[in-house]
Amino acid sequence: MLAIIATLLAALAALLHVYIFVMESVQWTQPRVWKIFAIPSQEAAETTKPMAYNQGFYNLFLAIGAILGLALFWAGGPDTTADVAGRTLVLFSLGSMAAAAMVLITTGSKYLRPALIQGTFPLIGFVLFLFA
């Protein structure tokens, strides 16, 4: 049961990071999106577009790592190479997501809410996957 809950949280974290990728790398210059990220103007959104594009792909790669790890984890039986590789990949991906959220907090108190949104699923999933 613990493995199922951990998987659900890891999958939610991956989906959230895919959504962040879409906002940062595809929709960045749309007013709805740049306002979410507290970008003050369309001009500023255009200026920061290359940075956001790059950052979005980091989020996508972490999501892909978590998804591949989950697939390996569930494809192999207990203590198989697939199980170990899957656990390792999931833990690395979720740990990186949680660490990025902690770094975001260090940039200022106004980033506490986004950091909590970005880091809660990965952190809980990481802890649960340690015991799954």
Side-chain angles (χ1 to χ4, degrees), residues 58-78:
Y58 278 88
N59 285 295
L60 178 63
F61 299 148
L62 290 173
I64 290 170
I67 292 165
L68 287 175
L70 290 172
L72 286 170
F73 174 76
W74 286 103

Side-chain angles (χ1 to χ4, degrees), residues 19-86:
Y19 179 63
I20 294 169
F21 157 75
V22 170
M23 287 192 298
E24 292 177 339
S25 296
V26 178
Q27 302 174 334
W28 185 254
T29 56
Q30 295 177 9
R32 174 189 66 80
V33 173
W34 53 259
K35 287 177 183 175
I36 290 171
F37 289 89
I39 303 299
S41 67
Q42 185 70 43
E43 180 182 15
E46 293 292 341
T47 301
T48 57
K49 185 177 178 180
M51 179 275 313
Y53 180 79
N54 185 44
Q55 186 171 309
F57 274 91
Y58 278 88
N59 285 295
L60 178 63
F61 299 148
L62 290 173
I64 290 170
I67 292 165
L68 287 175
L70 290 172
L72 286 170
F73 174 76
W74 286 103
D79 299 321
T80 63
T81 302
D83 173 57
V84 173

Side-chain angles (χ1 to χ4, degrees), residues 10-23 59 63 97 114 116-122:
L12 287 172
L15 287 174
L16 176 62
H17 280 73
V18 168
Y19 179 63
I20 294 169
F21 157 75
V22 170
M23 287 192 298
N59 285 295
M97 290 174 189
L116 289 172
I117 290 169
Q118 175 183 321
T120 300
F121 288 147

Side-chain angles (χ1 to χ4, degrees), residues 116-131:
L116 289 172
I117 290 169
Q118 175 183 321
T120 300
F121 288 147
L123 181 60
I124 296 170
F126 182 92
V127 171
L128 293 178
F129 244 96
L130 284 175
F131 300 104

